[in-house]
Amino acid sequence: MKDLSALMKQAQVMQQKLAEAQAKLAELEIEGTSGGGMVKLTLRGSGELARLDIDESLMAPGEAEVVADLVVAAHSDAKRQLDAAQAELMKQAAGPLAGMPGMPKLF
């Protein structure tokens, strides 16, 4: 019975850590850039696009395709960073159980 009690206590601690990790992730903002910083965007921890900044030099006629490509590249950069941050938070919260089948995802 002591083993079951210890296991339940560990599960409660892990649940608390996962809840804390989810709260940290909700507050997280990641900036992605492309074109040497000419396009910047910010993703929230949920993946929501929070902000988009485009250098005015790209706002010339005929540059729409370039701008579109740079926005996509900046989003990919931010998404990659967000995925890495999510994985790190999960690893910290779950400890040695991180990555095991059946472990919950943060978002």
Side-chain angles (χ1 to χ4, degrees), residues 17-19 21-22 25 85-87 89-91 93 104-107:
K17 287 183 177 180
L18 286 172
Q22 286 178 326
L25 187 58
Q86 288 174 336
L89 283 171
M90 183 65 174
K91 182 179 174 185
K105 302 247 186 257
L106 291 175
F107 282 92

Side-chain angles (χ1 to χ4, degrees), residues 65-105:
E65 189 174 336
V66 172
V67 172
D69 289 344
L70 289 172
V71 169
V72 170
H75 182 272
S76 295
D77 180 44
K79 180 70 169 117
R80 179 189 48 75
Q81 292 179 62
L82 181 60
D83 289 346
Q86 288 174 336
E88 182 59 29
L89 283 171
M90 183 65 174
K91 182 179 174 185
Q92 290 173 5
L97 300 177
M100 292 184 66
M103 285 300 296
K105 302 247 186 257

Side-chain angles (χ1 to χ4, degrees), residues 2-96:
K2 288 183 181 184
D3 289 341
L4 182 58
S5 177
L7 184 61
M8 292 298 289
K9 189 171 184 171
Q10 285 179 332
Q12 288 175 337
V13 169
M14 191 168 65
Q15 272 186 319
Q16 178 63 31
K17 287 183 177 180
L18 286 172
E20 290 169 4
Q22 286 178 326
K24 284 181 186 177
L25 187 58
E27 296 173 3
L28 188 65
E29 286 193 349
I30 301 288
E31 183 179 274
T33 62
S34 65
M38 295 177 79
V39 173
K40 298 176 187 176
L41 61 79
T42 302
L43 290 182
R44 292 197 174 109
S46 63
E48 176 187 2
L49 178 62
R51 187 172 51 252
L52 174 62
D53 295 314
I54 301 172
D55 189 282
E56 288 188 29
S57 67
L58 293 173
M59 303 310 255
E63 294 295 318
E65 189 174 336
V66 172
V67 172
D69 289 344
L70 289 172
V71 169
V72 170
H75 182 272
S76 295
D77 180 44
K79 180 70 169 117
R80 179 189 48 75
Q81 292 179 62
L82 181 60
D83 289 346
Q86 288 174 336
E88 182 59 29
L89 283 171
M90 183 65 174
K91 182 179 174 185
Q92 290 173 5

